Amino acid sequence: MKICVFLGPTMPVEDARAILPDAVFLPPAAQADIISAMTIHRPDVIALIDGVFGQSLSVWHKEILYALHKGVAVYGASSMGALRAAECHPFGMVPVGEVARGYVDGRLTGDDEVALAHAGPEDGWFPLSEPLVNLRASMAAALAAGVADRTLHDRVIATAKGLYFTERTRDRIFAEAGLSGEETDRLERFLESGGIDQKRRDAEVLLSHLGSLIMPPRPAPFDFNASHYFDVLYERDRRVCHGGNTVPLSEIASHAALHRADFAEINNAALGRLLIRQFAEVMGVTVDEAAVRTEARRFCAMRGLVGAEALADWCRRNDLTDDEFSELMTELAIERAMRLWLVPRRFLARTTKPVLNELRLRGLYESTAEEAALVERVMELHFGDASRQPKETVEQLLAEHVASTACRVDAPADVWSYEYGFKDLLDLRIDLMRAKQVRDLFRQLAVEAEAALAQVAPQEPAGEAMPEEEMQT
């Protein structure tokens, strides 16, 4: 069971790790951090304790709902976690501790109750102000112990509530509340040992509870309605980890645009696929599960991915979940269905012209044309019009061709030949035989040339050593 904990000023990570040693501890959560953690760490449990706001966008409810929808158990306590747990517990997020219960019950309402100023990660997120929930707990303890009466208690709380959260230090609060020197000294002495850090207490309760889990509870299923803004967060702001460093997905695309010589072709192909899918929706072209499974098999065949583990590893390296891989295969299957709709409508012209135009656009036309013309000339000189009848089946010829060339085939011969511009299997068989004859001829000529060179090479007299200078030459 993998557990990710977002933790900052509520308690030192070293202390938290002593309670839950096997957890992955992450900094206070900002927007997109939960969905990023799901991609990078693939947790079973997410514990949200601390989060940032103000200087950064805070963790969004929608990404918590997404994690719950995907079956990840999400707990919240102490600080930002208590706020989000109170807001998301109807969907399965689990609130833990007094602070979270206060928000759920309505006894606490303001976000500022848990807010505080703190140092950065280089200083261990050290707290620089007093969270109001901690002050409430401490003053309640002082009231119960007789250190403060009700009037003093209420004055201190009201004063703290009236201050901006970054200004809530004990010195400032006591001074603004007009406490006498004796009242201040009495409270300070009590709070030194009797003060209550409610946020830390709740965090410790949550960590201890997670440490006792054998299996995390699975959230009850519900309909997750992704919005355009969530799609933006997921498709652009989500971070992934490569080479030991994390990067937003949008930066990977931007890097490709700025550094890859073939990015124009990549971008055009990507947008073309989107257009095809939009056009398919207009035309009502759909694919079934069988077509998607076939597409997945063809995809794996083209990339040499043998077995479920090889495919799972490819998906991990390419930051795709199982659902996202299935969506990609559906997209490819729809694209193939649209091509199969188009090809017969060109009748005898088939795909020749668009393929040649694509070769021209990619700068491959001249070299490909020269190679094809050479094969044509060799056939005329050495075989004439009578190409020998092959003994091999078209499947055998195709397998031998794939083994000898850069050609890749990802489907049965009849399916592949139809999609790739051949009139029929006989048409494919003739072209495969021509290619084999030329290839075999070139191999034979190469062997003969090598033998001829061996015959004319000078022979050294037996028993005579070659001078060292000649050996080096």
Side-chain angles (χ1 to χ4, degrees):
M1 183 170 62
K2 180 173 283 188
I3 302 173
C4 287
V5 181
F6 290 94
L7 182 66
T10 292
M11 66 184 295
V13 171
E14 296 76 17
D15 296 351
R17 189 169 281 118
I19 301 173
L20 196 62
D22 296 328
V24 176
F25 287 95
L26 303 169
Q31 192 170 103
D33 281 351
I34 284 183
I35 55 174
S36 298
M38 290 179 64
T39 298
I40 295 170
H41 302 289
R42 300 176 183 263
D44 304 291
V45 177
I46 291 175
L48 177 60
I49 296 175
D50 288 309
V52 298
F53 65 98
Q55 73 274 27
S56 302
L57 294 174
S58 59
V59 60
W60 192 19
H61 312 77
K62 202 78 170 181
E63 53 185 310
I64 294 173
L65 298 183
Y66 176 77
L68 292 167
H69 175 67
K70 290 299 182 181
V72 178
V74 185
Y75 292 79
S78 305
S79 191
M80 182 66 76
L83 285 169
R84 292 296 181 259
E87 295 154 345
C88 297
H89 81 278
F91 295 91
M93 187 173 180
V94 182
V96 176
E98 286 298 320
V99 178
R101 279 193 291 272
Y103 280 116
V104 171
D105 297 341
R107 290 180 286 110
L108 298 175
T109 56
D111 293 359
D112 69 310
E113 293 281 346
V114 294
L116 78 161
H118 56 78
E122 65 279 359
D123 295 311
W125 311 101
F126 186 79
L128 301 175
S129 66
E130 184 88 4
L132 192 51
V133 290
N134 284 359
L135 185 64
R136 288 185 188 277
S138 295
M139 288 305 298
L143 180 63
V147 176
D149 59 19
R150 173 59 63 179
T151 300
L152 180 60
H153 169 277
D154 293 349
R155 193 162 82 242
V156 169
I157 297 300
T159 300
K161 185 67 176 174
L163 292 172
Y164 188 57
F165 75 91
T166 60
E167 300 173 346
R168 290 174 185 161
T169 62
R170 284 185 188 174
D171 291 344
R172 178 71 181 273
I173 294 169
F174 291 168
E176 293 283 338
L179 269 62
S180 67
E182 187 276 331
E183 289 174 324
T184 299
D185 290 343
R186 187 170 72 247
L187 276 177
E188 289 284 9
R189 285 195 302 271
F190 173 79
L191 293 175
E192 186 175 343
S193 59
I196 296 176
D197 188 343
Q198 190 62 58
K199 291 176 69 172
R200 174 165 180 148
R201 283 188 178 185
D202 288 0
E204 290 174 345
V205 169
L206 173 55
L207 297 174
S208 297
H209 173 71
L210 296 180
S212 69
L213 286 179
I214 298 175
M215 287 292 291
R218 189 169 180 84
F222 61 91
D223 291 333
F224 175 77
N225 298 314
S227 64
H228 172 72
Y229 296 105
F230 177 79
D231 290 340
V232 170
L233 189 76
Y234 192 85
E235 295 175 11
R236 288 183 55 82
D237 298 335
R238 180 166 53 105
R239 301 182 74 88
V240 294
C241 184
H242 288 271
N245 302 304
T246 66
V247 60
L249 292 173
S250 59
E251 289 301 319
I252 300 176
S254 298
H255 184 87
L258 293 174
H259 295 88
R260 290 202 61 89
D262 59 350
F263 186 75
E265 290 85 355
I266 292 172
N267 194 58
N268 290 341
L271 293 179
R273 189 170 296 116
L274 285 179
L275 284 172
I276 290 173
R277 188 160 189 178
Q278 293 293 318
F279 189 38
E281 289 182 9
V282 171
M283 296 184 58
V285 175
T286 60
V287 294
D288 57 18
E289 291 185 6
V292 176
R293 288 194 298 270
T294 298
E295 197 64 45
R297 286 194 295 270
R298 296 184 69 165
F299 177 89
C300 291
M302 288 294 284
R303 288 157 183 80
L305 302 175
V306 181
E309 183 53 42
L311 176 58
D313 180 65
W314 185 91
C315 287
R316 280 191 294 268
R317 289 184 286 110
N318 285 272
D319 302 312
L320 287 177
T321 64
D322 291 344
D323 289 343
E324 289 168 331
F325 177 76
S326 179
E327 182 182 356
L328 176 59
M329 293 303 103
T330 300
E331 191 172 289
L332 294 180
I334 290 174
E335 184 180 22
R336 191 179 302 279
M338 289 296 290
R339 290 198 299 268
L340 293 176
W341 169 86
L342 175 64
V343 168
R345 281 160 177 78
R346 292 183 56 80
F347 196 47
L348 297 177
R350 301 189 68 77
T351 61
T352 299
K353 183 176 180 178
V355 166
L356 296 184
N357 279 338
E358 189 65 23
L359 288 172
R360 292 176 181 115
L361 292 172
R362 292 174 179 261
L364 301 172
Y365 179 82
E366 293 179 71
S367 60
T368 306
E370 288 178 6
E371 292 173 9
L374 177 60
V375 169
E376 190 76 10
R377 182 58 174 160
V378 170
M379 288 298 298
E380 291 174 358
L381 290 175
H382 292 271
F383 302 102
D385 295 332
S387 174
R388 77 172 177 84
Q389 291 299 314
K391 298 178 181 179
E392 303 91 337
T393 65
V394 67
E395 287 77 16
Q396 291 170 330
L397 286 170
L398 191 56
E400 196 268 344
H401 184 81
V402 168
S404 304
T405 68
C407 176
R408 293 294 173 262
V409 176
D410 60 353
D414 57 339
V415 175
W416 187 86
S417 63
Y418 179 81
E419 291 185 10
Y420 285 84
F422 296 91
K423 182 168 61 70
D424 50 30
L425 276 179
L426 178 59
D427 194 21
L428 173 62
R429 192 180 192 190
I430 291 171
D431 281 354
L432 285 172
M433 194 63 238
R434 283 162 52 89
K436 176 177 173 58
Q437 287 177 288
V438 172
R439 191 163 55 246
D440 290 346
L441 175 64
F442 283 174
R443 287 172 179 165
Q444 179 184 345
L445 292 175
V447 171
E448 292 174 356
E450 186 176 349
L453 286 174
Q455 290 179 355
V456 301
Q459 300 294 322
E460 293 298 328
E464 293 187 13
M466 183 181 293
E468 184 176 349
E469 295 80 0
E470 294 184 21
M471 290 176 63
Q472 292 175 346
T473 303

